[in-house]
Amino acid sequence: MKTIYLVANWKSNKTVEEARSWLSDFSCELREFKTPLPLTVILSVPFTVSAVLQEEIKKLEMPIHLGVQNVSQFQSGAYTGEISAQMLEGLAEYVIIGHSERRKYLNETDEMLLKKVEQAKLSGLKIIYCVENDLMPIPDGVDIIVYESFAVIGSGKPEDPASADLMCRALKEKNGGKPVLYGGSVNKETMKEFCDQPSIDGVIVGGASLKPDQFMQLILAFASYG
Ligand code: PGA
């Protein structure tokens, strides 16, 4: 059976207190769930809450992985405000690189993204790399690819799972069979259908990950059919 990934992307949301409270509520939800998680769950959070969440996840022995949503293209040194991959050692296991919102609003180019991937690899971070189609370049060494349908992100209306599967299949074929996830307005109604597609290995969710009970609903939606 293929491994299914469920990646939460909190984007620019949550204070330290809100993040703590999300995790504490989610750990209660998980305790109610009697069987081991049928998914690999990765929580991608802002830098500002990653240290506190890392500690809590360890303390509570939660079966989830921690990621961040960006990394500097520079190694370290005089780059005011940048968070380098080295600084993330021990804080995050995964990093999202190339999210369409960063390409669009922060003008991240393929060249910058390649440097980010190189830095992340040097520090042993696992890379979740996002593209909007199978024509965009994907640097060597990424671990998970995400097909993001930018037009539907945050719209509440996901792409048709079968058509998303075609794009994911093309990405998988061009990238040596690496896991490919779909992102764009996934919710508990559509979660299972996306994950059931032959070339889709999971989903990345923004809006539906912000409340712990709604995020748990995604797991339940998947598990109850699985
Ligand atoms: P959304 O975000 O679930 O809010 O559409 C998805 C994403 O950021 O990939």
Side-chain angles (χ1 to χ4, degrees), residues 49-207:
V49 301
S50 59
V52 80
L53 291 187
Q54 179 78 326
E55 261 175 40
E56 292 290 311
I57 287 170
K58 259 195 216 146
K59 203 161 69 193
L60 297 167
E61 296 181 351
M62 293 172 77
I64 60 178
H65 305 259
L66 198 65
V68 289
Q69 305 160 17
N70 182 33
V71 67
S72 176
Q73 62 182 304
F74 304 111
Q75 193 172 27
S76 60
Y79 302 103
T80 303
E82 284 292 89
I83 306 288
S84 72
Q86 286 178 1
M87 291 158 73
L88 290 168
E89 283 175 28
L91 270 188
E93 189 183 346
Y94 288 85
V95 59
I96 298 176
I97 297 179
H99 193 283
S100 55
E101 288 159 3
R102 296 199 60 87
R103 291 178 193 260
K104 181 165 186 219
Y105 303 124
L106 286 304
N107 300 323
E108 292 194 346
T109 62
D110 291 332
E111 199 189 0
M112 289 160 70
L113 298 174
L114 174 61
K115 290 186 189 154
K116 288 175 184 237
V117 167
E118 286 166 358
Q119 290 304 320
K121 286 227 76 64
L122 285 174
S123 289
L125 290 163
K126 294 182 194 147
I127 298 160
I128 302 172
Y129 196 82
C130 305
V131 288
E132 290 170 60
N133 57 56
D134 63 328
L135 302 175
M136 293 170 85
I138 298 181
D140 287 341
V142 310
D143 298 279
I144 298 172
I145 294 164
V146 177
Y147 162 52
E148 290 186 301
S149 196
F150 185 69
V152 306
I153 287 184
S155 70
K157 293 196 181 84
E159 186 170 326
D160 170 57
S163 91
D165 186 61
L166 288 179
M167 185 61 81
C168 292
R169 188 169 79 193
L171 283 164
K172 208 182 238 314
E173 282 171 4
K174 285 187 177 173
N175 291 280
K178 283 191 177 156
V180 181
L181 319 186
Y182 164 80
S185 289
V186 175
N187 57 26
K188 68 178 182 350
E189 276 78 38
T190 50
M191 158 89 187
K192 175 71 179 158
E193 204 182 340
F194 278 109
C195 295
D196 272 351
Q197 301 297 319
S199 299
I200 296 183
D201 299 291
V203 291
I204 179 166
V205 291

